Amino acid sequence: MECFEVTGGTALTGRVRVTGAKNSALKLMAAALLAAGRTTIDEVPDILDVALMSEVLRRLGCDVTYERLPDSGGGGRVVVDVPEEPSAETDYDLVRRMRASISVLGPLVARCGSARVALPGGDAIGSRGLDMHISGLERLGATIESEHGFLVATAPRLTGTSIWLDFPSVGATENLVMAAVLADGVTVVDNAAREPEIVDLCAMLSAMGAQIEGAGTSTIVVEGVPTLKPVTCTTVPDRIVAGTWAIGAVMTRGDVVIERAVADHLTVALAKLADAGAHVEPLPEGLRVAMDGRPRCVDVVTLPYPGFPTDLQPMAVALAAVSTGTALITENVFEGRFMFANELVRLGASVRIDGHHAVVRGRERLSSAPVVATDIRAGAGLVLAGLVSDGVTEVQDVHHVDRGYPDFVEQLRGLGAHVERVRRSD
Ligand code: UD1
């Protein structure tokens, strides 16, 4: 078992480079399936989930290589060589370990006319349904059955249609757009997700020859084309990793330049940090966030983009835990996402949960203890909390953090933090 030992008391200062977004890179890799031949994707983070997605693609018959690039903040180049006829089955052992494997469903149905993808089941942040993925693909003409733990989709041909999503689901929007690009006719996806990662995916698909309008708005219009070609593209910078550094700078009262951070992708989060008293300065090379003194409590409400990202909610709770005053944090996207707050309470935080609200009363400092990372972002939030705790905080189950943050320990140390990765035998 690997854990992080975090010694509190040091401000994060210096420069850190952000590579591409996990949540985009995984979908760009899945989108490669839409064209036979070699697709090259740059700024792909060197994280466990990318290794898992590479394995998903290999089992579908692709040849996948990863080459890490020096001084990239943990990024590299992925080359996916896709055969003329990929196989169409993704096993439970991979889907169970990484839910984003489900994003091969749309491309496989579009490209092969059928797909068998294991059902992911629940995870630590909620039940995470697939109803919108399924009903959208059915509207495009696919037949979908659930058999022995697999979703089995069949569609000799997909036909353009109009689809209204009940909620702007990121994964459903992506799967449906990836299916629609090779369908006959025009598909309109309404109440689509607007995340920068959706815009990134649509940019790649357009470069491959797809006809897409409205990416980044609530209405995406796709006119199907018969075939697509492989491309070379670059992953959008990771706004969640950038936001983690920004909140870390404020919590530790530090001063950090986050290279490649895109301030426009973090508008609400940065406004909250400014309200907390931080100095937030967009720079040509990224973003500077500095804090002098103790932050003020700010209320946060998570919402689909452009709202405050649910993936930064654990860090927002950790920030409130050491701010002056009381904050109300509201989670609107994942019902189970406050589970990690009990770990924060072990560090002496005052957090009270009522349904999808958390009331956080700020303390001057937290107090170190062993805690468990329950998911990627909870783990990062606990590490930040450890940085403002007295003594040494042991964050366990850090394989979760490794799924989303390339070189996390090295980057923290580069900013002056005292963090070690240690292996425990029990
Ligand atoms: C993606 C991100 C995740 C981020 C989330 C919201 C990846 C790999 N993960 O997850 O980090 O927190 O967007 O920004 O990109 N839902 C349904 N039925 C569906 C689809 C979704 O009920 O068919 C629900 C989910 O349970 C959840 C909400 O909708 O409560 C949002 O989910 P969604 O936007 O789809 O998130 P993901 O794509 O899973």
Side-chain angles (χ1 to χ4, degrees), residues 236-255:
V236 69
D238 197 316
R239 65 197 163 96
I240 305 301
V241 172
T244 303
W245 295 128
I247 295 175
V250 177
M251 284 176 70
T252 61
R253 308 181 196 182
D255 188 345

Side-chain angles (χ1 to χ4, degrees), residues 212-233:
I212 303 175
E213 278 177 22
T217 76
S218 299
T219 305
I220 300 181
V221 182
V222 182
E223 189 175 348
V225 295
T227 54
L228 295 172
K229 59 179 192 308
V231 286
T232 294
C233 60

